Amino acid sequence: MSELLLELFSEEIPARMQVKAADDLRRLVSEGLKARGLETGEAKSFSTPRRLALVIAKVPAKSPAISEEKKGPRVGAPEQAVAGFLKSAGLAALSDAEIVKDDKKGDYYVAKIEKAGRPAADIIAETVLDVMHKFPWPKAMRWGSEPFQWVRPLQSIICLLGGKVVPLNIAGIESSNETRGHRFLGPETFKVKDFADYQDKLEKHHVMLDPARRVASIGGQALALAKTAKLELVEDEALLNENAGLNEWPTVLIGTFDTAFLDVPGECLTTSMKAHQKCFSLRDPKTKKLANKFLMVSNLIAKDGGDLITAGNEKVIRARLSDAKFFWDQDLKKPLDEMASQLRGITFHEKLGSQWERVQRVEELAFQIAGAVDANPEDSRRAAQICKADLVSGMVGEFPELQGLMGRYYAERAGAKPEIARAIELHYKPKGPTDVVPREDAGDSVAIAVALADKLDTLVGFWAINEKPTGSGDPYQLRRAALGVIRIVIENDLRVPLGKWFEKHVSNYVFPASNPGRSSGSVFWVEMDRRDRGGRAVRVENATQFSAPPDWAEKVVRHPSFLGPADWGDPLDSKSAVLDVDIRKYLGEMLCVFDLPTLISRDLLSFFADRLKVFLKDQGKRHDLIDAVFSLGGQDDLALIVKRVDALDAFLTTDDGANLLAGVKRAANILSIEEKKDKKSYAGSYDLKLLKENEEVALAAKIEEIKQDTVAAINVENFAGAMRALAELRAPVDAFFDKILVNDADPKIRENRLRMLSEIRATTLTVADFSKIAG
């Protein structure tokens, strides 16, 4: 067994691409070798700013020989079929094939193909060339006259198998056993024999091959310098990894900036130094306030101890922080309401209007939501009114990641209430699955109202213009918005009527308040017959409500903006009062008519149900329990659904729960079989007079008792109590199936007992659909 060493040396690879590129190289080469019949040992990959490296242990000298049989046509088959078989099997004549006897289907030809093993070097060269030509760089470039593309111009290739060079040529570059070290500290060329020699000589030429070592080195030096300065490092894992991707031999230095810049919020200074110079910030360990010192990472060991490098970075940092201070000072001169009014000039979406129009909708929705989350309605309205104002600030224009945070600072400077200022910062949260959510117990009720309003407005708006997520994309991050709503509701145990909010809010999109022709009435979707296939949004008063067809979502593809009756077109074009007509007279010329807000609300609730299922599965909840609860309906009360799932999960882990599940499923199976056979349903009350046996009398009594107990417990949302009540069914159900024959010879008794089984199913359906549960 030999060792394979591969190095692809190039100009500087962007830091953000290095780790994935190294992993892709390991994966693609390993899979390529295996696909070509070469089984190898463990593969490890590494990256530096100028190289990708791969080492694979235990590479055999050649791939194993292969012997296989290829089945051919039957004896006497047409010549064309025989010729195709010979060509695919690589046989010169039919006599080279064997005939296999088959008395049932007839004799047929079989080709025995022997393939000798291939040298490992040939397989490696073929695989490496294939991988390099198809390498999945996010962006690649060409240079010179070669069509080959790589992330940056390739300079050399090491490809060694057992210390010997594997010949290959790509873009005019021949593989060899030579490479180079650090661009400045070790630029000379040197030869290597194997991976151990390669790694050792790179160290001597000031290159740390393993990115994890560079991360550890930067982190260790940074902490040591911070301790020496009696300060605390503002840790930033992403910045640490980025610096490891920018330096092959990192050296950390400390610099200083003017204390006057500390008047600017610390996050602004930290972001500026990080974005422009990749520098770390330091803070006072006691006050947690930013210090006027920073850490930079150099790729050099300077002869003067880094004084010149530090001075250069301090000069650049001074200029960058001066910009930040300018933005801060200028922004403070503008009142928040003035900033908010400038949102009229920022388009949110061409079909959804400006950011200012969106804020008007969010403002109204936040006011409505406030009561449901114990927030002050007027504070919620005010917070929503200025929550996007900082989007026009100079600071957010320079650093978009500070949106929300800067709004909080501006609001605090303007004397806003603390809860309003905090709501401006928190209304974007959560920004991802690991981000925090505004918490009611932390006094963030106003933030919760605005955060929900912001996310719900986004979802309703994009549903209204039919820009929903698809299997291939979610450009407006609507799944993330829905997950944010779910987390806020569940983690704060909120009882909110999502369906009503959706239905009420969608009218702001179909008939915006700015429409001068707006009047009260229902909103309908109309799809015309073959004379006019265009969909039209129509408002009609005194109209009959019609149910939507099951496939409405497929039929509704768009709805144009509504301006007034003159835009409706034939056959609804009328100079008279169209709004007062009875739409039923047009039914002969329409395929469907239905209430648009209700349908968008239903579709959004279905979307939320799917997102909640994904969320609960990620939390470790069983998918069958989720389905068992969801089948009951009531999908707009997210917190209630989660409580039901938790209670059901806990119940089924007990002996009573497991045994009751078996009994209920047995009852449901018998009932399903008999209903199918008899072609009738046995739902409904049973006759107490026909109960003869003690076991069925006892079961009937217990069913009536538990019906009342479970309903009473569910009405007060005591789901654990409802489960305990159901547990009392276990003994009488077990006794019933042990002693009672359901399919009695007397048809009336049989039907009565089947109705009793139906009552068992109906009783458990108040808690969950047990038929959906596995086991």
Side-chain angles (χ1 to χ4, degrees), residues 293-305:
K293 293 186 180 294
F294 63 94
L295 299 178
M296 71 209 81
V297 184
S298 169
N299 198 30
L300 292 173
I301 301 175
K303 294 179 181 179
D304 62 356

Side-chain angles (χ1 to χ4, degrees), residues 6 27 73-74 86 102 186 255 276 330 337 434 465 475 704-705:
L6 176 67
R27 175 179 56 84
R74 58 180 175 79
L86 294 176
D102 190 331
H276 295 304
Q330 293 300 114
D337 289 304
T434 60
I465 62 172
E704 296 305 316
E705 176 188 338

Side-chain angles (χ1 to χ4, degrees), residues 556-569:
V556 177
V557 293
R558 64 183 177 86
H559 72 269
S561 59
F562 166 81
L563 295 177
D567 296 322
W568 291 352

Side-chain angles (χ1 to χ4, degrees), residues 32 36 118 120-131 166-168:
R36 291 171 173 82
R118 297 174 60 199
D122 293 348
I123 297 176
I124 290 168
E126 180 183 305
T127 301
V128 170
L129 289 173
D130 183 54
V131 168
V166 175
L168 59 91

Side-chain angles (χ1 to χ4, degrees), residues 162-220:
K164 296 181 179 179
V165 175
V166 175
L168 59 91
N169 181 302
I170 191 162
I173 299 172
E174 296 282 349
S175 59
S176 70
N177 62 349
E178 295 183 351
T179 189
R180 278 167 279 180
H182 192 283
R183 181 181 287 278
F184 304 110
L185 303 177
E188 58 271 17
T189 301
F190 57 88
K191 295 182 178 182
V192 299
K193 296 181 295 184
D194 52 31
F195 179 70
D197 184 46
Y198 169 72
Q199 194 170 24
D200 181 60
K201 288 181 178 177
L202 281 178
E203 287 282 332
K204 292 176 180 177
H205 288 77
H206 296 92
V207 175
M208 291 186 192
L209 180 64
D210 190 346
R213 276 198 61 210
R214 298 197 299 277
V215 167
S217 176
I218 295 170

Side-chain angles (χ1 to χ4, degrees), residues 563-628:
L563 295 177
D567 296 322
W568 291 352
D570 181 69
L572 292 179
D573 188 8
S574 172
K575 302 298 183 182
S576 59
V578 178
L579 291 179
D580 295 327
V581 303
D582 188 337
I583 200 170
R584 284 176 296 181
K585 70 180 184 179
Y586 294 113
L587 283 179
E589 300 180 73
M590 298 179 186
L591 296 178
C592 58
V593 183
F594 47 85
D595 184 19
L596 185 59
T598 300
L599 294 171
I600 289 180
S601 174
R602 290 176 187 171
D603 194 35
L604 263 173
L605 285 175
S606 177
F607 176 72
F608 265 84
D610 292 338
R611 290 295 92 203
L612 181 58
K613 287 181 181 179
V614 172
F615 173 75
L616 292 176
K617 287 177 184 178
D618 290 342
Q619 300 296 310
K621 305 298 182 185
R622 287 169 47 183
H623 67 88
D624 55 336
L625 302 189
I626 298 170
D627 291 338

Side-chain angles (χ1 to χ4, degrees), residues 480-502:
R480 190 178 77 173
L483 178 61
V485 172
I486 289 168
R487 286 191 57 203
I488 290 172
V489 169
I490 291 176
E491 293 184 30
N492 288 286
D493 193 23
L494 300 176
R495 310 306 304 279
V496 291
L498 290 180
K500 292 182 180 178
W501 289 346
F502 290 153

